[in-house]
Amino acid sequence: MTLWDGELPFYPQPRHPAGFSVPLLIVILVFLTLAASFLLILPGIRGHSRWFWLVRVLLSLFIGAEIVAVHFSAEWSVGSASTNTSYKAFSAARVRAHVGLHVGLEGINITLTGTPVQQLNETIDYNEQFTWRLGEDYAEEYAEALEKGLPDPVLYLAEKFTPSSPCGFYRQYRLAGHFASATLWVAFCLWLLSNALLSMPVPLYGGLALLATGAFAIFAVLSFVSIASVPFCPLHLGSSAITSHYGAAFWVTLATGILCLLLGGAVVGLHYAKPSALRIFLDGSVKNCGNQARGGSPLSLSNPYYKQFGASDATISTNL
């Protein structure tokens, strides 16, 4: 990049899209590896139970992957606007750009993309992250952004989330993010427990663990919804205003919580209504347990060695 208005270019380091996150990529790769490993052994499962295990395992992996992945997503609350705004401090130059605001559980991403990208002899394509996770100082990151001389729209939005801002965004979003993250980690532990219990002859407790998983996922969503109590603080950029709405991570977490509640409720309901059907459903290899449990089929035991001593073939028959 060349000099612009006597100042050095902003970004010596490579930039990434707003949705790019190394931890998020690692989570996706780990769960995709688990899914691929299961698909490799799937042909070894015989009969119709193959499809049952396919749905069961992939659905469980989806729930686990979603619970972990949303921690690192910046799509809990999103907003954007296309505007004609000032570009830098102490300059009258203005640019046409698309501004995006992406709020996650651990911080925010602010994007600025020129329309077109090449304006004022510079590439206008910025993506800045400001975090409030434990051990990070948002105010210090904002101060570093000021020293770097980032564009006005980025600094304006970042300033609205500083601890000293009268908007109160920092306090409410930070607390909501911490509570939501904590409840999601509890939901992940309960998801692990439910998988273990559903693989054992205690399906009732597995269903209850699945219900608790869904409940904590819903609690995480409700924790993030608490940001609605923040007094409205308009975000104006030039002639446009940014209005935020819940993003993909929020709705996927809500859907996952409802799915866990439905699955857990179905397991608990079947346990009390038709326990034998539940066992057959959870273990496709057990197909005759229901008949034996009803006591309708006799158990026959014969000893062919009686013939060696001239005794008649003895057969013992009893009804269980």
Side-chain angles (χ1 to χ4, degrees), residues 268-320:
V268 174
L270 283 175
H271 172 79
Y272 287 107
K274 293 183 177 181
S276 59
L278 177 61
R279 287 308 310 157
I280 295 174
F281 177 75
L282 291 177
D283 189 356
S285 62
V286 180
K287 298 182 179 179
N288 297 322
C289 289
N291 294 331
Q292 294 184 6
R294 289 193 295 269
S297 58
L299 175 64
S300 297
L301 302 175
S302 61
N303 190 348
Y305 292 102
Y306 277 107
K307 295 181 180 180
Q308 298 179 3
F309 303 98
S312 60
D313 189 11
T315 299
I316 302 174
S317 179
T318 181
N319 285 327
L320 297 178

Side-chain angles (χ1 to χ4, degrees), residues 123-169:
T123 300
I124 302 176
D125 186 13
Y126 297 91
N127 172 37
E128 279 295 328
Q129 183 179 31
F130 301 87
T131 58
W132 49 63
R133 68 170 68 96
L134 296 177
E136 301 287 344
D137 189 346
Y138 185 98
E140 182 179 347
E141 293 184 6
Y142 177 69
E144 292 176 356
L146 289 173
E147 294 177 358
K148 290 166 63 177
L150 296 181
D152 276 356
V154 175
L155 295 176
Y156 169 78
L157 293 177
E159 188 274 334
K160 293 294 184 180
F161 286 84
T162 55
S164 59
S165 173
C167 290
F169 284 158

Side-chain angles (χ1 to χ4, degrees), residues 196-273:
L197 293 175
L198 288 174
S199 301
M200 301 167 63
V202 283
L204 174 61
Y205 299 108
L208 293 176
L210 202 54
L211 281 174
T213 301
F216 274 94
I218 298 296
F219 291 158
V221 170
L222 294 178
S223 298
F224 196 79
V225 169
S226 66
I227 61 176
S229 61
V230 180
F232 179 73
C233 187
L235 302 175
H236 290 290
L237 290 169
S239 58
S240 302
I242 293 181
T243 56
S244 61
H245 55 86
Y246 296 125
F250 176 91
W251 295 113
V252 172
T253 304
L254 178 61
T256 301
I258 295 174
L259 177 62
C260 290
L261 291 177
L262 292 176
L263 293 175
V267 171
V268 174
L270 283 175
H271 172 79
Y272 287 107

Side-chain angles (χ1 to χ4, degrees), residues 86-103:
S86 61
Y87 184 49
K88 296 181 63 178
F90 312 110
S91 174
R94 302 180 70 85
V95 294
R96 290 288 304 176
H98 182 81
V99 184
L101 175 63
H102 308 264
V103 183

Side-chain angles (χ1 to χ4, degrees), residues 55-129:
V55 174
R56 178 178 173 180
V57 172
L58 292 185
L59 187 61
S60 179
L61 287 176
F62 166 77
I63 293 174
E66 189 279 334
I67 292 175
V68 178
V70 292
H71 284 89
F72 311 105
S73 173
E75 297 296 321
W76 279 81
S77 180
V78 296
S80 61
S82 295
T83 183
N84 184 5
T85 180
S86 61
Y87 184 49
K88 296 181 63 178
F90 312 110
S91 174
R94 302 180 70 85
V95 294
R96 290 288 304 176
H98 182 81
V99 184
L101 175 63
H102 308 264
V103 183
L105 301 183
E106 298 182 337
I108 62 174
N109 268 98
I110 302 173
T111 60
L112 176 69
T113 306
T115 51
V117 176
Q118 296 291 337
Q119 296 183 55
L120 304 176
N121 196 29
E122 187 175 342
T123 300
I124 302 176
D125 186 13
Y126 297 91
N127 172 37
E128 279 295 328
Q129 183 179 31

